Amino acid sequence: AYTLSGTLMDKETGEPIKVNGKNVTSEKEFTPRTENGTVDIEFTFDATALAGTDVVVFEKVFDVETKTEICSHEDLSDEGQTVSIPKIGTKATDGDEKTNVIKAEKEQKIVDTVAYENLLPGMEYELTTWLTKDGKKIWGTEVTKKFTAKEAYGTVQAELTFDASRHGGEDITVFEEVSLDRRLVAEHKDKDDKDQTVTVSKPAPDSPKTGDES
């Protein structure tokens, strides 16, 4: 019987990855049926703060009875040991002037430019975007589009059209998710991110018209 012990490492720093102040580790005891074979070990952890990180798995095998280390595999440059965690960042502007201010009118367009890192080249992803106010979804604004990542790093745009006449003077923030085979791989949802936010201008007050005694 053997114990397989694994630790997640940050490829850039060479240090163990910490979540909530603790190293991310996993162990599994196994008894090989043959001299050569494979064994799986799983790591479950919160990767929210690790977006854009290259994670390398270090492994050691110990004899269960003697606790003696039998062998190890610890190579920061080994691509076979490496998993890249995707990251996205965004810039939202109006559709015409490329500013972060739009008019308080109907059928206003917001262009959301999403920059991504650590995607798999040649794979088809799904980008889902929607508008929010104070972090709450504005229903009817969700847009989904598919795109193929030509390289690990790049950008993709989404256009969202909505009735801005109801939101004069308000800040509108775009939230995004990127999925692969219906599995979420990256998200950007920060209601305080100025780059994700556009401001709807306040509508001008109604001007007096002929016959208006006020």
Side-chain angles (χ1 to χ4, degrees):
Y2 297 92
T3 298
L4 173 61
S5 175
T7 303
L8 300 189
M9 308 291 290
D10 187 320
K11 183 174 183 177
E12 182 177 1
T13 65
E15 298 294 327
I17 287 176
K18 294 184 180 296
V19 175
N20 296 326
K22 298 181 179 180
N23 294 351
V24 181
T25 61
S26 183
E27 284 190 353
K28 183 174 184 178
E29 186 174 314
F30 69 101
T31 301
R33 295 183 178 181
T34 59
E35 185 176 281
N36 302 311
T38 63
V39 60
D40 292 336
I41 184 170
E42 295 183 355
F43 297 82
T44 302
F45 60 101
D46 182 0
T48 305
L50 300 176
T53 302
D54 288 329
V55 177
V56 183
V57 186
F58 277 13
E59 305 95 351
K60 292 183 178 181
V61 175
F62 298 87
D63 182 286
V64 169
E65 188 173 333
T66 64
K67 311 296 184 184
T68 304
E69 181 180 325
I70 303 299
C71 58
S72 65
H73 189 191
E74 300 176 335
D75 184 357
L76 286 172
S77 63
D78 188 341
E79 294 298 325
Q81 284 182 276
T82 304
V83 175
S84 297
I85 301 178
K87 177 183 180 180
I88 58 174
T90 62
K91 178 69 175 179
T93 62
D94 81 301
D96 300 316
E97 303 298 328
K98 306 304 180 185
T99 68
N100 65 338
V101 178
I102 61 176
K103 299 177 181 178
E105 299 175 356
K106 295 183 178 181
E107 298 297 315
Q108 290 299 293
K109 183 169 65 175
I110 293 177
V111 176
D112 189 28
T113 302
V114 180
Y116 56 81
E117 301 177 17
N118 286 343
L119 295 192
L120 298 173
M123 298 297 291
E124 185 179 68
Y125 290 85
E126 188 171 81
L127 169 66
T128 302
T129 62
W130 62 93
L131 302 181
T132 69
K133 177 184 177 298
D134 296 328
K136 297 181 180 179
K137 185 176 184 178
I138 300 176
W139 293 101
T141 61
E142 183 175 300
V143 172
T144 299
K145 68 176 296 183
K146 294 183 178 181
F147 70 97
T148 299
K150 295 182 179 180
E151 297 180 352
Y153 298 79
T155 60
V156 59
Q157 285 189 337
E159 294 186 358
L160 304 95
T161 303
F162 78 117
D163 182 359
S165 64
R166 304 178 180 180
H167 300 279
E170 297 177 352
D171 289 335
I172 303 298
T173 306
V174 189
F175 279 10
E176 303 88 6
E177 292 181 347
V178 174
S179 300
L180 176 64
D181 296 330
R182 299 184 179 182
R183 185 179 65 176
L184 180 66
V185 296
E187 62 182 359
H188 192 192
K189 302 172 183 176
D190 183 358
K191 65 182 181 65
D192 298 319
D193 188 338
K194 296 301 181 182
D195 285 337
Q196 280 184 280
T197 302
V198 296
T199 299
V200 181
S201 59
K202 293 183 178 180
D206 293 334
S207 299
K209 298 180 180 179
T210 303
D212 184 350
E213 296 183 356
S214 65

